[in-house]
Amino acid sequence: MKLTFPAFAGRIAFSALAALIGAIFALPLIWFIFAPFNARAELGVAIPDPWTLSNFMTVFQNNFAMQALWNSLIQSIGGVVLVGAAATLAAYALSRSSIPGKGAVTYILLLFSSVVSGSAAMVPIFLIVSAMGLIDSHLAVILTFAGGLLPTAMFILRDFIDSIPKSYEESAMVGGASPVQAFFDVALPVIRPGIVVVVVWAFVNIWGSFLIPFILLRSDKLMPASVAIYSFYSEAGTPTVTLLAAYSLIYSLPVIILYLFVSWKFGFRFFGGIKA
Amino acid sequence: MTAEPTTPEHPAKPARRFALLSNRAGAVFLTPAGLLVALFVIIPFFWVIFVSFTNRTLLGRTALNPEFVGLANYFALFDPSNFFQRGQFGFSLILTTQFVLASALIGQALLGLLLAWLIQTVPPWIKRLTETFVIAAWILPEVVIGFAWFAFLDRDQGTLNAILGSVGLPKGDFLLQQPFWVIVVFNTWRGAAFSMMLFNSAFSSIPPSYFQAADVAGASSWQKFKDIALPLIRGHVVTDLILITMWTFNTFTPFLLTNGGPSYRTELLSIYNYRVAFRDFEFGKGAAVGVIIMLINLAFALIYLAIGRKKRV
């Protein structure tokens, strides 16, 4: 395509501006790219000389840090399994049964889930968890996240299931399958991509989240990595920067990998946001 | 507010001979999710209203036997004698409003729109590189981002001061001197990705022939943006503004950077709510703040759902 001179100059200006904004976005992250591999990392940006993995060894030898990663894993996987299973069943029921008031249920769920946010509901959630005797337990965090994420998960999955023709299950049932068989053997495999999206979305949310475990947990041995990192830099007078840098990178890895997975598998375009 | 419950209209579907799932099986399928949502979403909504009328505390006598105090918590929040003082409710409310206006409506939405427009035409490698960093700011866990910014803004060694120093500008201790603008820039940086992706997908859905026709007519990029693209994505703009307003209004992340300080200068409503309830142990008052936050959320959610329904019809 032939370009006139003003159009050409305009395109160069556009490119320069986009690159400049990209560079500004990169600035706060540059430190985070180099410091984990620098044995003498401080808060300033410095290119590691030599590059080393010794900071990661420090992390692996730090019991509290490793325990926190393990706790993050327990809480995230627990929450994800609960959200995935409960949302799939519920979304399927909302899509395929003729329960009266399905539309109203979906609407009310959507309304409540955007009104009841973590920061507005922290007092009653604390009181409910406390009344259940679950304060300072993994279960408290798992259940709270599951409850909070379910409305959106159900909404995404219901949309997804609605878009699948009913004829699959109908033909299975004409062939003699029970509704439950039709769900598990016919519908579930077809719904699987939708479930994967919801599960990844829920995992990223729980894994990265700070406020809920911060409020509901007391003891060090249950803290997930988000709260552990925060205590590393907010409470220690001078943070151990090398440990923190390497730990931040390890802690971020699952999120980065899942992001790459989603963008490779589904084309990370727009899901109404992988994060809430 | 509308009093009657509204249900979305369903487009007329062909009559089904039978439902795939019986009502009883459907009810069983709904039970686990129903219980969890009731316990952690529906009940908190009503419980927070109830607690806000009591003097419940976290510790002490009133932790177990809270007394009904009527609207006392609300009167305390809206006490005109100290409403605008730092560390008081009114100060946080106004601060949060300014924060939403500056970082979400102006910052995230405008920057997201600009980025989405720019990456339509730039070479693919610049597009990919820019997108990578913008999305990374959004996708990485908030605590990691908090620490990265902590290092970035450090007075003595931080990257920002190193850059300012190298071009001859004075260094600053921004977390102490300009805490409000720090969290505004921080939230803009953190959240612009969402708007960028939303507007990007909106722009890509415009038929290219519209722009080609404009090119033939010799339209400038600004004219194409203003006269073709913007009117066509108006619906997306509204969606974007409502969503980012709600998220920014509720965000707790700046706490990781400033702890609400120094001297309450970055104490957004969510952080104020946390301090009152979990540092000062006044659950009744914290609940009252929660109720007000939820009422504001409700207003936005109703607008959002009303627009969403109109679009679907």
Side-chain angles (χ1 to χ4, degrees):
Chain A
M1 194 171 98
K2 246 167 61 183
L3 280 174
T4 57
F5 178 73
F8 180 72
R11 187 161 294 190
I12 289 188
F14 267 41
S15 302
L17 189 57
L20 179 72
I21 297 176
I24 292 173
F25 267 82
L27 279 181
L29 294 172
I30 293 176
W31 173 87
F32 175 64
I33 295 167
F34 290 126
F37 305 99
N38 185 345
R40 286 163 298 163
E42 292 176 320
L43 292 173
V45 169
I47 296 189
D49 178 31
W51 291 71
T52 167
L53 294 175
S54 68
N55 294 341
F56 293 96
M57 289 311 294
T58 319
V59 173
F60 294 136
Q61 285 156 6
N62 184 315
N63 285 331
F64 178 54
M66 293 311 285
Q67 176 74 39
L69 281 172
W70 179 242
N71 293 337
S72 284
L73 204 62
I74 293 175
Q75 290 162 14
S76 304
I77 291 186
V80 158
V81 169
L82 211 53
V83 171
T88 306
L89 289 174
Y92 188 75
L94 285 178
S95 175
R96 297 299 204 237
S97 76
S98 55
I99 292 180
K102 294 189 310 185
V105 169
T106 312
Y107 182 81
I108 290 170
L109 271 181
L110 210 60
L111 189 63
F112 268 89
S113 68
S114 38
V115 170
V116 183
S117 72
S119 56
M122 54 186 141
V123 170
I125 283 178
F126 180 89
L127 291 173
I128 287 167
V129 170
S130 160
M132 294 164 75
L134 290 176
I135 289 292
D136 203 23
S137 68
H138 284 311
L139 198 57
V141 178
I142 291 171
L143 292 176
T144 306
F145 273 123
L149 295 176
L150 262 170
T152 314
M154 284 162 68
F155 189 71
I156 299 174
L157 267 175
R158 190 193 163 169
D159 249 14
F160 189 84
I161 298 172
D162 278 345
S163 72
I164 295 169
K166 295 189 176 62
S167 49
Y168 290 123
E169 293 116 286
E170 278 169 353
S171 54
M173 284 164 74
V174 168
S178 74
V180 175
Q181 274 175 326
F183 170 71
F184 280 102
D185 298 340
V186 182
L188 208 50
V190 188
I191 303 169
R192 204 182 290 139
I195 300 177
V196 171
V197 169
V198 165
V199 160
V200 168
W201 165 82
F203 183 92
V204 170
N205 263 288
I206 305 178
W207 183 263
S209 173
F210 169 80
L211 183 62
I212 287 178
F214 186 60
I215 289 173
L216 297 180
L217 300 177
R218 291 272 170 279
S219 49
D220 280 353
K221 65 177 204 303
L222 295 175
M223 292 298 174
S226 56
V227 183
I229 295 186
Y230 176 70
S231 69
F232 279 164
Y233 75 82
S234 74
E235 278 153 37
T238 36
T240 318
V241 174
T242 45
L243 172 81
L244 261 167
Y247 194 46
S248 297
L249 184 56
I250 297 174
Y251 170 56
S252 304
L253 269 184
V255 174
I256 299 170
I257 291 168
L258 282 176
Y259 166 74
L260 293 174
F261 168 76
V262 170
S263 69
W264 160 71
K265 185 96 186 189
F266 302 97
F268 189 86
R269 287 257 292 284
F270 196 73
F271 282 129
I274 192 170
K275 294 192 0 181
Chain B
M1 229 176 297
T2 49
E4 72 277 338
T6 45
T7 49
E9 281 92 10
H10 290 290
K13 284 176 190 160
R16 259 182 276 144
R17 280 161 298 133
F18 64 97
L20 280 167
L21 208 59
S22 71
N23 281 0
R24 187 194 285 181
V28 172
F29 275 29
L30 279 169
T31 306
L35 281 177
L36 280 164
V37 172
L39 210 50
F40 291 97
V41 181
I42 312 277
I43 293 178
F45 178 77
F46 293 103
W47 202 342
V48 76
I49 298 173
F50 170 72
V51 177
S52 76
F53 295 123
T54 70
N55 63 355
R56 184 155 190 161
T57 49
L58 181 61
L59 305 165
R61 190 179 54 84
T62 43
L64 291 176
N65 300 304
E67 290 151 11
F68 184 77
V69 295
L71 291 169
N73 288 318
Y74 293 93
F75 286 131
L77 293 181
F78 289 99
D79 181 355
S81 69
N82 62 10
F83 190 70
F84 295 108
Q85 272 170 32
R86 269 195 206 162
Q88 298 296 333
F89 173 75
F91 180 82
S92 279
L93 186 63
I94 292 165
L95 189 78
T96 309
T97 311
Q98 292 167 335
F99 178 70
V100 169
L101 282 174
S103 73
L105 297 186
I106 298 176
Q108 289 184 13
L110 274 189
L111 191 60
L113 192 61
L114 175 67
L115 274 166
W117 184 247
L118 287 180
I119 60 177
Q120 301 300 313
T121 46
V122 303
W125 68 272
I126 293 183
K127 172 181 152 91
R128 224 172 296 131
L129 212 62
T130 302
E131 273 183 329
T132 302
F133 284 111
V134 176
I135 291 174
W138 184 60
I139 204 90
L140 288 169
E142 53 187 349
V143 215
V144 170
I145 292 298
F147 186 55
W149 269 71
F150 201 64
F152 176 63
L153 294 170
D154 186 71
R155 193 191 181 295
D156 300 317
Q157 302 168 4
T159 313
L160 183 58
N161 273 333
I163 294 170
L164 289 179
S166 69
V167 294
L169 287 167
K171 296 185 173 193
D173 198 344
F174 300 102
L175 279 169
L176 286 178
Q177 291 160 344
Q178 296 293 345
F180 175 72
W181 291 108
V182 166
I183 62 168
V184 165
V185 173
F186 171 75
N187 191 55
T188 303
W189 178 88
R190 168 88 169 147
F194 177 81
S195 303
M196 177 187 81
M197 287 190 286
L198 181 73
F199 293 135
N200 188 22
S201 85
F203 286 142
S204 336
S205 69
I206 300 174
S209 58
Y210 291 16
F211 294 120
Q212 285 155 3
D215 281 334
V216 172
S220 72
S221 184
W222 168 247
Q223 285 168 328
K224 282 188 281 185
F225 173 76
K226 183 170 65 81
D227 295 332
I228 301 173
L230 207 51
L232 285 171
I233 64 158
R234 207 184 298 137
H236 291 86
V237 174
V238 176
T239 304
D240 182 67
L241 292 182
I242 296 172
L243 286 177
I244 61 176
T245 299
M246 282 177 64
W247 292 335
T248 302
F249 182 71
N250 284 283
T251 186
F252 190 73
T253 318
F255 174 85
L256 298 167
L257 202 55
T258 64
N259 244 304
S263 59
Y264 309 119
R265 281 160 72 192
T266 57
E267 197 171 66
L268 303 170
L269 268 188
S270 57
I271 301 173
Y272 174 79
N273 193 8
Y274 167 77
R275 176 172 64 86
V276 168
F278 292 94
R279 293 249 166 105
D280 304 344
F281 307 132
E282 294 184 67
F283 271 18
K285 198 174 164 193
V289 180
V291 169
I292 294 166
I293 297 179
M294 286 191 193
L295 285 179
I296 298 172
N297 284 344
L298 183 67
F300 276 107
L302 286 173
I303 299 172
Y304 180 63
L305 289 177
I307 292 169
R309 274 179 53 200
K310 214 178 290 166
K311 224 182 332 188
R312 201 168 296 175
V313 171

